[in-house]
Amino acid sequence: MADLSVFPITGKWPATHPDRLQLYSLPTPNGVKVSIMLEETGLPYEAHLVSFESNDQLSPAFLSLNPNNKIPAILDPNGPDGQPLALFESGAILIYLAEKTGRLLPGDPAARYETIQWLMFQMGGVGPMFGQLGFFHKFAGKDYEDKRPRDRYAAESRRLLQVLESRMAGRAWIGGDEYTIADIAIWPWVRNLVGFYGAGELVGFDDFPNVQRVLQTFVERPAVQRGLAIPARD
C-alpha cells in the first residue's frame, strides 16, 4: 500500500482509507464533475470537503497538491505503475479516470477526440462564461450600476447554449448515443446556470428545448444524483 503520509495534504485531511482514491472538493459545477465520474465508474474513493468559507483552498496543505488553489484535486494511491498520483484540473482528472477505468471515453480514436473536443468546449467556454455571468447576476457584481458586463456574459452564455441546442438536436448525449465525460463536464454547469445562478430567464432558457431535455435526463441518473451532493457540506 502506498504511503500517503508523504503528501502534506493528508495532514489536514487524513485518509481514513489510504488504499482508496482521495478526492478534495466541494459540490460546485467543477467539483461535482469528479464526484459524478467516480460514482459512475464505481471506483472506491474517499471525499474530503474543501471549505471556501474557511479558505481551505488557500491553505499550505491544499496548495501542496494544487498550487492554483482550485477544486477539485485528487490523490490516487494506485496511479500509473502503481505509484501515487496527485492531479488537479477537473478536465485532466476526468480524462485520467476515464483511462484508468476504461469507461466514458470512446476507444475509437475519432470518437475519443470528438469527446475531448467537447470537454475542452466546456473548460474554455461554458465554465468561464457561465461563471462570470453568475458573478454579475447573483453575487457582488449584481450591485454594479453598469450592467454592460452582465449583459456581455449573458449574451455569450446564450450563444453557447445555442451551440449546445444545435448539437443536441437528434442526439441523446453530446457524443450521440454514448454518455461520456463530455456530458459529465457540461451538464452540471447548465444546471448551475439556471438553478443556483437563477439566470434562466436572463439567457432565455425556454428557447433551448433540446438542452432542457438532455439536462433533465442527466440529472435523473442515479450516479449523478449521488455525485451532486459529494462531498457533503458541513
Side-chain angles (χ1 to χ4, degrees):
M1 182 185 302
D3 180 11
L4 297 187
S5 67
V6 300
F7 293 88
I9 196 166
T10 63
K12 184 174 178 64
W13 290 279
T16 303
H17 303 282
D19 57 324
R20 301 179 185 177
L21 185 145
Q22 305 293 305
L23 169 65
Y24 308 92
S25 191
L26 188 69
T28 66
N30 281 334
V32 300
K33 292 178 198 174
V34 178
S35 54
I36 290 171
M37 180 66 174
L38 289 166
E39 289 293 324
E40 292 280 10
T41 59
L43 272 176
Y45 71 98
E46 183 176 352
H48 305 278
L49 182 73
V50 180
S51 173
F52 287 179
E53 285 76 12
S54 55
N55 288 321
D56 282 349
Q57 75 277 17
L58 300 177
S59 66
F62 188 77
L63 291 172
S64 70
L65 190 64
N66 183 1
N68 196 35
N69 66 269
K70 303 292 183 182
I71 59 95
I74 65 169
L75 176 56
D76 185 0
N78 304 299
D81 299 322
Q83 298 301 308
L85 175 70
L87 198 62
F88 63 90
E89 282 296 334
S90 58
I93 296 171
L94 287 178
I95 294 172
Y96 170 70
L97 294 176
E99 293 183 339
K100 179 182 177 72
T101 61
R103 298 276 309 281
L104 304 175
L105 183 61
D108 173 74
R112 171 187 169 85
Y113 283 109
E114 186 176 30
T115 299
I116 293 174
Q117 163 187 272
W118 285 99
L119 173 62
M120 296 303 109
F121 169 78
Q122 184 279 305
M123 299 293 293
V126 168
M129 294 302 104
F130 287 13
Q132 291 294 339
L133 178 56
F135 173 81
F136 285 104
H137 182 63
K138 182 180 177 68
F139 297 110
K142 71 180 185 301
D143 297 324
Y144 294 0
E145 185 174 344
D146 186 351
K147 298 304 179 186
R148 286 176 296 179
R150 184 204 66 178
D151 293 345
R152 170 179 170 80
Y153 289 117
E156 179 62 6
S157 295
R158 181 176 172 83
R159 187 191 70 80
L160 292 167
L161 286 169
Q162 185 58 64
V163 173
L164 284 174
E165 178 70 13
S166 298
R167 176 67 178 179
M168 300 318 302
R171 293 175 180 268
W173 299 108
I174 290 291
D177 293 333
E178 188 175 350
Y179 174 76
T180 69
I181 58 173
D183 297 290
I184 292 174
I186 289 170
W187 299 113
W189 272 104
V190 177
R191 174 180 177 269
N192 205 67
L193 178 71
V194 299
F196 183 64
Y197 291 161
E201 183 176 353
L202 183 62
V203 298
F205 195 63
D206 288 344
D207 296 336
F208 306 107
N210 289 322
V211 172
Q212 294 179 48
R213 168 181 55 83
V214 182
L215 175 61
Q216 183 61 35
T217 303
F218 176 76
V219 298
E220 289 175 353
R221 293 179 67 91
V224 170
Q225 294 178 18
R226 294 191 300 270
L228 287 171
I230 297 171
R233 295 179 184 269
D234 293 336

